[in-house]
Amino acid sequence: MDTFLGLEALVLARVQFAFTVAFHFIFPAISIGLASYLAVLNGMYLWTKDEAYLRLWRYWVKIFAIAFAMGVVSGIVMSYQFGTNWSVFSDLTGPVLGPLMAYEVLTAFFLEAGFLGIMLFGRGRVGPTLHMIATAMVAVGTAVSATWILSVNSWMQTPQGFTMNEVGQFVPESWWDVIFNPSFPYRLAHTLTAAYLTTAFIVGGVAAWHLLRGRVANLGVQTMFSMAMWMIAVTAPLQIVIGHEHGLNTLEHQPVKIMAMEGHFESHEDGVPLVLFGWPDQDAGEMHYTIEVPRVGGLILDQGWNGSMAGLDTVAAEDEPPVGIVFFAFRIMVGIGMLMLGIGIWGLIARFTGRLYDSRWLHRAALVMGPSGLVAVIAGWFTTEVGRQPWVVYGQLRTADALSPVGAEAVGASLIAFVVIYFLVFGAGVFYILRLMNHPPEPGETGLRDEAGPVRVAGLNPHQQVQETGGPRPHGGEN
Amino acid sequence: MTDLTLIWALILAFAVYTYVVLDGFDLGLGILYPFFPKKKDRDLMMNTVAPVWDGNETWLVLGGGGLFAAFPLAYAIILPALYPPILAMLLALVFRGVAFEFRWRATSRYGQRLWDYAFIGGSVVAAMAQGITLGAVLQGIEVDGRAYAGGWWDWLTWFTLLTGVSVVLGYALLGACWMNWKLEGDIQHRARELARGAAVLTVMGIVFVSAATPFLEQGYFERWLAWPGILEVAIVPVLVGALILGLARSLFMEGRDWLPFLLTLLLFLLCFVGLGISMWPDVVPGAVSLQDAASPRESQIFMLVGALFLIPIILAYTIYAYWVFRGKIDPEEGYH
């Protein structure tokens, strides 16, 4: 078997997929949340005519534009990687998954892309109602996109509604069953909520940074912080409930994944402990340095005080996922979730005691937690994806059997290219985003370049057009 | 059965054509960047496409996704066969796509230059890789069973280099015609001059590729040059000739600035029809027919319902978006 730096094509292709998807996933997680936030800000501005909302819209739209562009380009890579590295998977699952992805393109990508230009550059040209519709369409597009791609992913986790044809392709039998597969609603709710929570922490972190720097004279900052803390207070506990339900669903359909997440190498007959921490040793089939709470694991998993649960000792070795990664990734996700809940409660207390804008410790905590959602999202993604191994379509198609007829050198060389280029390009993007965030929203905040200066359009300039369509007068010097 | 597969082949061809002409002209701007060294000109060029480029590129995702969905076997064979050029295209599009945003965010002259180079390099490499992909599919792919069976450098021949360069030139022509339409003053003037040069080179590319194609495979030869079929297919080169004359005329006339762009779109359409005549009824020439690669009927029907309903809607709001940003951009009115 040919290798690259001692690694086989299969390993390299998996690392490449994990790397590119983890990088990609950051950006939709931000743009799903920010698109909705921008729609809310735009709506609030139209409703209240309070300039603070417009200022925030213009502030965040610049950050959104960068995150969105990075999401688009890293997403195009994903859409072709199925074919380059996983061509057997593509051939066999194409009839089922291809249409779902085609629907994602037709209902979501075009919607986002078509209205993005109007949202970013069209405020001075289409009038407030159409501009609001464009902003809303972009937000709807991001959520619809998530819906389809999570249906695809969920089907790979809990496949149903298909038969096999003579060449081994999955052939759809019931589209309803394919799309609404058993884990889909849980995964969709969990991921969308994660995106909103992630964005709320980023917005809250940026606001906290400016509050800590004493930029309180700027009303936009307080509005930003208040909105973020409301969002966290609502979504953090909600996410814990959804995550719990998702876990129960996984226990029903992918029990082996739960065994790995919970670190249960052994079966439990009478009462299932909750493993708080430990060091999984998959070769020996046991946990080292375990700290556990008796019987609570069974309660959490709805198995009762005296419940029983099978462990990895009941699973054939070739069907076990890599326990260490799943175990730790799950703990990172849950740990961050608990901290998020803490911030949510703290924010509520500070609000009701009138200290929301004065509590420096709350602001420091919010700042530190700013990027935590991204870490949690990636950890969660690893939990669910690595936990599905060694299957790419759970129980049906092994990852090892899905690989392209590729040489290790080709996959290895392209992996290095991805790593180098992604760090360079997206590193620059993150730098530009952080630099934008480092400045507070200004009273004369300008949006993207269109709003800074007028553009003449076929003998009709934007000012006239807005006035003719009954829109508000342009604001001094900004349009 | 046949009909559904045919409909899907047409939908896919439509998606790929739309991608080629739409992203073609905005990639063309990147290819032409070296001819416009002034920052002010480059700003203008980028602003002519900033609101629409993302939608243009989405057609590429539909092309790839549509192939995966409607002809999964072809997707599974073609992508591994073209591993290096497709990877190069994806990475080039990464650079080019972010340049649209990063260019405005770089505060130093040096940083802006850097993203200008990313935009140029990304556009050239992406266009070249697409041309190579086209040529490699046309020259045939080695297949064994349901998988690619050739080597890693099979795609690299003088023919694919020729198609690669031709596509770069063709995109440059589209880009120059777009600038001629959307800009005015000096920059439009220079764009028009460049369009003339690009038109000559593109026509040479078309002639060379067309002359070489019949000799790639026996099937192509028979389709294009055997009697009496030649009487039917000859209409394509005749129309190409007429269009080239029209394009040449329009590039030397004042006024009707949209005309060269429109004629170039039609020229691309004819090249596309020619390509279809060569390949029909295969999707991997000489190895896999459209019929063999097609998804099961259940998949085709499910998608068709959505595609026939959604594609017109997509076209409607895409046209609306172009209409919102219609007209010439005045070079005297700076954005930044």
Side-chain angles (χ1 to χ4, degrees):
Chain A
M1 174 139 295
D2 75 327
T3 58
F4 180 84
L5 301 175
L7 296 168
E8 290 171 14
L10 175 65
V11 177
L12 291 163
R14 285 182 60 189
V15 172
Q16 187 176 115
F17 201 86
F19 177 78
T20 47
V21 86
F23 240 99
H24 170 64
F25 199 27
I26 291 174
F27 303 111
I30 299 172
S31 43
I32 291 169
L34 266 190
S36 296
Y37 184 49
L38 287 170
V40 169
L41 287 172
N42 208 11
M44 292 296 286
Y45 167 64
L46 292 180
W47 191 29
T48 66
K49 302 285 178 243
D50 182 347
E51 289 286 321
Y53 291 112
L54 179 62
R55 193 177 307 145
L56 287 181
W57 189 90
R58 288 182 165 156
Y59 181 77
W60 282 102
V61 82
K62 286 178 278 199
I63 293 164
F64 173 82
I66 297 179
F68 191 86
M70 293 196 281
V72 167
V73 295
S74 57
I76 292 175
V77 172
M78 299 314 303
S79 73
Y80 278 81
Q81 206 169 62
F82 294 116
T84 50
N85 285 348
W86 304 100
S87 66
V88 178
F89 168 82
S90 302
D91 178 19
L92 301 182
T93 64
V96 172
L97 297 184
L100 304 189
M101 291 195 216
Y103 270 104
E104 184 185 14
V105 183
L106 291 170
T107 59
F109 291 168
F110 276 114
L111 196 67
E112 293 171 66
F115 286 99
L116 182 74
I118 297 171
M119 168 183 161
L120 296 181
F121 308 112
R123 187 185 282 279
R125 294 181 196 221
V126 295
T129 310
L130 273 171
H131 186 259
M132 180 66 218
I133 289 172
T135 309
M137 283 298 132
V138 173
V140 168
T142 59
V144 172
S145 166
T147 304
W148 286 110
I149 203 66
L150 285 163
S151 178
V152 167
N153 181 261
S154 299
W155 184 85
M156 289 162 66
Q157 305 272 357
T158 52
Q160 67 170 28
F162 65 91
T163 54
M164 292 273 192
N165 70 9
E166 66 281 5
V167 293
Q169 283 180 316
F170 295 85
V171 177
E173 212 173 37
S174 158
W175 285 107
W176 182 269
D177 288 348
V178 166
I179 295 168
F180 297 97
N181 59 76
S183 64
F184 167 63
Y186 299 93
R187 208 177 300 278
L188 177 65
H190 197 45
T191 311
L192 280 181
T193 311
Y196 292 128
L197 200 49
T198 298
T199 307
F201 270 93
I202 289 172
V203 173
V206 170
W209 171 243
H210 297 307
L211 288 171
L212 283 169
R213 299 281 296 258
R215 288 154 177 166
V216 280
N218 189 328
L219 285 173
V221 173
Q222 292 193 345
T223 309
M224 200 160 55
F225 191 67
S226 172
M227 289 173 93
M229 293 311 286
W230 272 127
M231 192 69 185
I232 292 166
V234 173
T235 45
L238 182 68
Q239 180 68 318
I240 291 171
V241 174
I242 294 170
H244 175 66
E245 293 299 318
H246 185 24
L248 294 181
N249 178 267
T250 306
L251 178 65
E252 188 182 339
H253 296 280
Q254 296 177 299
V256 179
K257 188 190 282 185
I258 293 287
M259 294 171 202
M261 283 159 63
E262 301 286 353
H264 291 319
F265 282 104
E266 294 162 16
S267 300
H268 301 280
E269 301 288 321
D270 180 28
V272 184
L274 174 68
V275 179
L276 292 177
F277 188 77
W279 190 265
D281 181 345
Q282 195 159 6
D283 294 334
E286 58 183 289
M287 299 288 285
H288 300 305
Y289 320 113
T290 312
I291 303 171
E292 60 180 31
V293 188
R295 296 177 187 271
V296 173
L299 290 181
I300 290 176
L301 291 168
D302 276 2
Q303 304 298 304
W305 186 254
N306 298 315
S308 66
M309 212 181 107
L312 288 165
D313 50 5
T314 61
V315 178
E318 74 265 22
D319 292 342
E320 282 183 15
V323 177
I325 297 174
V326 180
F327 181 82
F328 286 116
F330 179 62
R331 264 148 197 75
I332 291 168
M333 178 186 76
V334 171
I336 291 174
M338 293 301 156
L339 290 174
M340 287 174 156
L341 178 66
I343 297 276
I345 295 169
W346 191 356
L348 282 179
I349 294 170
R351 188 187 300 273
F352 293 124
T353 55
R355 291 179 43 80
L356 190 62
Y357 307 124
D358 308 319
S359 171
R360 294 185 69 80
W361 279 108
L362 174 62
H363 301 160
R364 285 185 191 118
L367 177 62
V368 171
M369 288 288 285
S372 63
L374 298 172
V375 180
V377 157
I378 291 174
W381 190 251
F382 268 77
T383 305
T384 199
E385 297 303 288
V386 178
R388 190 190 59 218
Q389 299 303 325
W391 305 97
V392 62
V393 180
Y394 194 71
Q396 304 289 332
L397 178 64
R398 283 178 188 272
T399 310
D401 298 330
L403 189 68
S404 293
V406 280
E409 311 82 29
V411 192
S414 58
L415 173 60
I416 289 174
F418 273 119
V419 172
V420 171
I421 288 171
Y422 272 35
F423 274 108
L424 278 177
V425 169
F426 298 132
V430 170
F431 170 76
Y432 292 134
I433 286 181
L434 289 176
R435 198 167 61 183
L436 285 170
M437 287 174 166
N438 189 34
H439 296 285
E442 304 286 351
E445 186 74 29
T446 54
L448 283 142
R449 46 224 175 255
D450 82 312
E451 305 193 44
V455 184
R456 207 181 68 202
V457 190
L460 185 72
N461 83 33
H463 291 223
Q464 289 170 347
Q465 194 178 2
V466 170
Q467 282 158 19
E468 281 164 13
T469 51
R473 291 185 64 80
H475 307 286
E478 288 176 25
N479 272 303
Chain B
M1 193 82 177
T2 313
D3 293 338
L4 269 183
T5 304
L6 175 65
I7 290 169
W8 269 107
L10 290 175
I11 291 175
L12 213 58
F14 175 76
V16 174
Y17 171 74
T18 309
Y19 169 74
V20 165
V21 294
L22 290 185
D23 213 27
F25 77 73
D26 61 46
L27 284 164
L29 295 187
I31 296 166
L32 294 173
Y33 245 41
F35 298 96
F36 298 88
K38 277 192 243 158
K39 173 172 159 28
K40 193 167 142 256
D41 290 350
R42 291 183 169 186
D43 289 356
L44 271 175
M45 287 165 78
M46 203 170 249
N47 274 331
T48 63
V49 290
V52 292
W53 77 271
D54 191 16
N56 296 348
E57 205 157 276
T58 305
W59 292 93
L60 177 68
V61 184
L62 182 62
L67 189 67
F68 175 48
F71 302 98
L73 179 59
Y75 182 81
I77 290 170
I78 293 172
L79 267 72
L82 289 159
Y83 202 94
I86 283 177
L87 257 293
M89 175 188 82
L90 295 174
L91 291 172
L93 289 177
V94 167
F95 276 107
R96 193 191 73 110
V98 298
F100 274 100
E101 293 303 327
F102 291 3
R103 202 174 162 277
W104 306 99
R105 295 291 148 223
T107 43
S108 70
R109 193 81 195 89
Y110 177 76
Q112 282 171 356
R113 281 278 144 150
L114 195 71
W115 294 115
D116 278 358
Y117 288 130
F119 191 58
I120 296 167
S123 302
V124 172
V125 172
M128 184 84 191
Q130 287 170 10
I132 286 175
T133 301
L134 169 76
V137 171
L138 205 54
Q139 77 185 2
I141 289 171
E142 207 180 320
V143 177
D144 181 22
R146 297 179 76 80
Y148 174 58
W152 289 107
W153 298 96
D154 285 13
W155 52 272
L156 185 63
T157 62
W158 64 267
F159 180 72
T160 56
L161 292 178
L162 175 64
T163 51
V165 171
S166 301
V167 166
V168 174
L169 294 169
Y171 284 0
L173 173 61
L174 274 170
C177 291
W178 170 259
M179 288 174 68
N180 176 50
W181 180 13
K182 294 295 283 187
L183 296 167
E184 53 190 22
D186 281 351
I187 186 168
Q188 182 197 0
H189 210 73
R190 262 179 300 150
R192 188 182 282 242
E193 282 172 9
L194 283 168
R196 291 172 195 153
V200 171
L201 294 170
T202 302
V203 169
M204 282 169 63
I206 293 172
V207 169
F208 287 141
V209 172
S210 307
T213 302
F215 301 98
L216 290 173
E217 262 200 59
Q218 188 61 25
Y220 297 166
F221 188 89
E222 280 163 15
R223 210 154 297 134
W224 283 106
L225 298 172
W227 192 265
I230 191 169
L231 290 179
E232 282 174 33
V233 296
I235 191 166
V236 176
V238 168
L239 282 175
V240 168
L243 265 181
I244 290 169
L245 289 179
L247 180 63
R249 216 174 105 82
S250 74
L251 283 172
F252 284 95
M253 274 190 331
E254 291 299 319
R256 287 201 288 183
D257 291 341
W258 47 269
L259 190 58
F261 187 73
L262 179 70
L263 293 174
T264 309
L265 293 192
L266 293 175
L267 189 62
F268 269 67
L269 183 63
L270 282 175
C271 294
F272 222 70
V273 170
L275 203 67
I277 291 175
S278 295
M279 283 175 56
W280 180 262
D282 288 347
V283 58
V284 182
V288 182
S289 69
L290 285 164
Q291 204 63 54
D292 293 340
S295 268
R297 196 176 166 76
E298 294 82 353
S299 308
Q300 292 181 330
I301 291 175
F302 176 64
M303 281 190 295
L304 195 62
V305 177
L308 293 182
F309 176 68
L310 290 164
I311 290 178
I313 295 175
I314 290 166
L315 288 173
Y317 62 65
T318 302
I319 291 167
Y320 173 71
Y322 272 83
W323 188 78
V324 166
F325 298 98
R326 71 196 175 280
K328 289 203 185 266
I329 291 187
D330 187 342
E332 300 311 313
E333 298 276 7
Y335 285 98
H336 227 53

